[in-house]
Amino acid sequence: DTAVSQTPKYLVTQMGNDKSIKCEQNLGHDTMYWYKQDSKKFLKIMFSYNNKELIINETVPNRFSPKSPDKAHLNLHINSLELGDSAVYFCASRNGAASNQPQHFGDGTRLSIL
Amino acid sequence: GENVEQHPSTLSVQEGDSAVIKCTYSDSASNYFPWYKQELGKRPQLIIDIRSNVGEKKDQRIAVTLNKTAKHFSLHITETQPEDSAVYFCAASRKAAGNKLTFGGGTRVLVKP
């Protein structure tokens, strides 16, 4: 069983469209994250939710809107897609109740904007 | 905010040799330092981590050292094998910042048979 699963794995779409990426974890964690990995492989935090509450928003454009319907799910909706949004988006989760616990990553969603 | 620098950006070693990757961080309040291995097209996978109350940790061929005073930590891989070829990322985090991971720029390691 995949611990952190993301859908879709690949997403190819045109500039200006709106798209969503879904993430689910079955680890019983209460904290989830979205990271963006650009073409140079640099990994950067975007958002984090703890028990459905937004705790990190790293000055991401407001075209990006995360939503956490429950602590096992964290989705990412992107409006008006731009060329610069092309990247691999990783979801991650951890046990927030315990300090210094590792984050577990999903397999990523490769977003390509035409 | 936190800034993590990682060196070298690429590292080529002969099979059986050791590989060392170094990272420095800027926020003295950071207290958790994981290392991730990412193979081509795959997700980052945790290979080892160290907490600020420990100076060194070892797991088989992998070891990590932490110098809190100098704010740097290093990954050591001994007896490298071709399957060790991947991109390695160091990261730093602290609870007050939501435990978000601030990553270094990555090191592409190539182990030549």
Side-chain angles (χ1 to χ4, degrees), chain A residues 44-45 58-59, chain B residues 1-5 24-30 71 92-94 96-97 100-103:
Chain A
K44 189 169 167 57
I45 181 74
E58 284 288 302
T59 60
Chain B
E2 175 68 282
N3 184 48
V4 178
E5 301 280 342
T24 59
Y25 61 99
S26 61
D27 187 349
S28 56
S30 287
K71 288 188 284 188
S93 73
R94 61 184 178 97
K100 65 177 181 181
L101 292 174
T102 300
F103 285 91

Side-chain angles (χ1 to χ4, degrees), chain A residues 9 31 33 35 37 40-45 48 55-56 58 90 94 96-108 110, chain B residues 4 31-32 36 38 40-46 49 51-52 87 89 93-95 97-106 108:
Chain A
K9 192 171 174 66
T31 306
Y33 303 82
Y35 289 88
Q37 186 170 44
K40 294 183 179 177
K41 303 297 184 188
F42 191 66
L43 273 159
K44 189 169 167 57
I45 181 74
S48 177
I55 58 171
I56 296 173
E58 284 288 302
F90 286 100
R94 67 182 285 276
S99 59
N100 295 333
Q101 290 300 300
Q103 293 184 23
H104 300 263
F105 284 76
D107 288 335
R110 183 174 295 277
Chain B
V4 178
N31 59 1
Y32 176 65
Y36 284 84
Q38 187 178 28
L40 190 63
K42 301 281 182 68
R43 60 187 168 93
Q45 286 197 287
L46 179 77
D49 56 10
R51 292 160 179 80
S52 59
V87 179
F89 292 95
S93 73
R94 61 184 178 97
K95 187 173 183 178
N99 292 291
K100 65 177 181 181
L101 292 174
T102 300
F103 285 91
R108 188 175 299 276

Side-chain angles (χ1 to χ4, degrees), chain A residues 27-109:
Chain A
L27 296 167
H29 292 164
D30 58 357
T31 306
M32 297 182 71
Y33 303 82
W34 278 113
Y35 289 88
K36 179 181 180 180
Q37 186 170 44
D38 62 24
S39 58
K40 294 183 179 177
K41 303 297 184 188
F42 191 66
L43 273 159
K44 189 169 167 57
I45 181 74
M46 298 175 70
F47 300 103
S48 177
Y49 272 74
N50 176 262
N51 280 317
K52 303 191 296 177
E53 189 176 329
L54 180 67
I55 58 171
I56 296 173
N57 181 341
E58 284 288 302
T59 60
V60 178
N62 56 17
R63 297 183 295 104
F64 290 77
S65 51
K67 276 198 172 63
S68 182
D70 56 61
K71 65 180 186 179
H73 295 83
L74 179 60
N75 304 323
L76 184 64
H77 188 76
I78 316 170
N79 287 329
S80 304
L81 282 157
E82 300 177 356
L83 288 175
D85 298 332
S86 294
V88 181
Y89 293 84
F90 286 100
C91 176
S93 73
R94 67 182 285 276
N95 178 1
S99 59
N100 295 333
Q101 290 300 300
Q103 293 184 23
H104 300 263
F105 284 76
D107 288 335
T109 295

Side-chain angles (χ1 to χ4, degrees), chain B:
Chain B
E2 175 68 282
N3 184 48
V4 178
E5 301 280 342
Q6 183 173 345
H7 299 281
S9 56
T10 59
L11 180 59
S12 182
V13 297
Q14 207 64 39
E15 183 178 358
D17 289 349
S18 295
V20 180
I21 303 170
K22 298 183 179 184
C23 289
T24 59
Y25 61 99
S26 61
D27 187 349
S28 56
S30 287
N31 59 1
Y32 176 65
F33 307 91
W35 286 87
Y36 284 84
K37 175 184 180 182
Q38 187 178 28
E39 296 176 359
L40 190 63
K42 301 281 182 68
R43 60 187 168 93
Q45 286 197 287
L46 179 77
I47 55 171
I48 196 167
D49 56 10
I50 191 166
R51 292 160 179 80
S52 59
N53 58 348
V54 175
E56 186 173 357
K57 184 176 177 181
K58 191 173 180 181
D59 182 4
Q60 298 183 329
R61 296 186 297 110
I62 294 173
V64 58
T65 59
L66 170 65
N67 183 328
K68 282 195 302 182
T69 305
K71 288 188 284 188
H72 67 68
F73 55 115
S74 300
L75 177 73
H76 303 251
I77 307 174
T78 58
E79 300 171 27
T80 53
Q81 300 166 4
E83 51 265 39
D84 294 330
S85 296
V87 179
Y88 291 80
F89 292 95
C90 63
S93 73
R94 61 184 178 97
K95 187 173 183 178
N99 292 291
K100 65 177 181 181
L101 292 174
T102 300
F103 285 91
T107 297
R108 188 175 299 276
V109 173
L110 176 63
V111 180
K112 294 181 284 187

